[in-house]
Amino acid sequence: KDDAAKEGMSERKEEFKQLPTNTDLSSTKNKTNKIFVGGISWTTTDDGFEKFFKKYGEITDCIVMRDKVTRTSRGFGFVAFKNPHVVDQILSEKL
């Protein structure tokens, strides 16, 4: 396993969902480039989260959602890629 997995990505069962843009997903212009990632470890760092997904393609935005008071992970995050086809690749893999 890589360093990102050691930083908490493998401690919980991750969930990946493509965020819909509309009902017709048959063309490239209608594909989303952003995914929801649920079930991430509470100890996952922002750097580890980004490093894990960077191997799939160029990232335009990456965030682990955190509690406003404690600043600990809320167990989910979002990743946006420059190329929307990366989302299809990730969703078709077993991570």
Side-chain angles (χ1 to χ4, degrees), residues 9-12 16 19 31-32 34-38 48 54 63 66-67 69 74-80 82 91-92:
M9 287 299 295
S10 65
E11 293 178 20
R12 296 180 58 189
F16 302 95
L19 301 178
K31 290 195 176 284
T32 183
K34 189 173 188 178
I35 59 171
F36 163 84
V37 183
K54 200 178 271 190
I63 186 166
R66 301 199 173 278
D67 181 273
V69 177
R74 293 176 57 198
F76 68 95
F78 298 92
V79 183
K82 185 173 183 178
L91 294 177
S92 69

Side-chain angles (χ1 to χ4, degrees), residues 26-86:
S26 60
S27 70
T28 302
K29 72 176 184 173
N30 293 326
K31 290 195 176 284
T32 183
N33 66 335
K34 189 173 188 178
I35 59 171
F36 163 84
V37 183
I40 60 175
S41 171
W42 311 114
T43 61
T44 300
T45 64
D46 293 331
D47 289 338
F49 190 65
E50 183 173 356
K51 183 178 179 182
F52 180 82
F53 287 101
K54 200 178 271 190
K55 65 184 172 187
Y56 293 100
E58 185 177 343
I59 294 174
T60 58
D61 191 26
C62 183
I63 186 166
V64 174
M65 301 308 293
R66 301 199 173 278
D67 181 273
K68 291 179 182 178
V69 177
T70 65
R71 302 299 303 149
T72 58
S73 167
R74 293 176 57 198
F76 68 95
F78 298 92
V79 183
F81 294 92
K82 185 173 183 178
N83 182 343
H85 293 290
V86 171

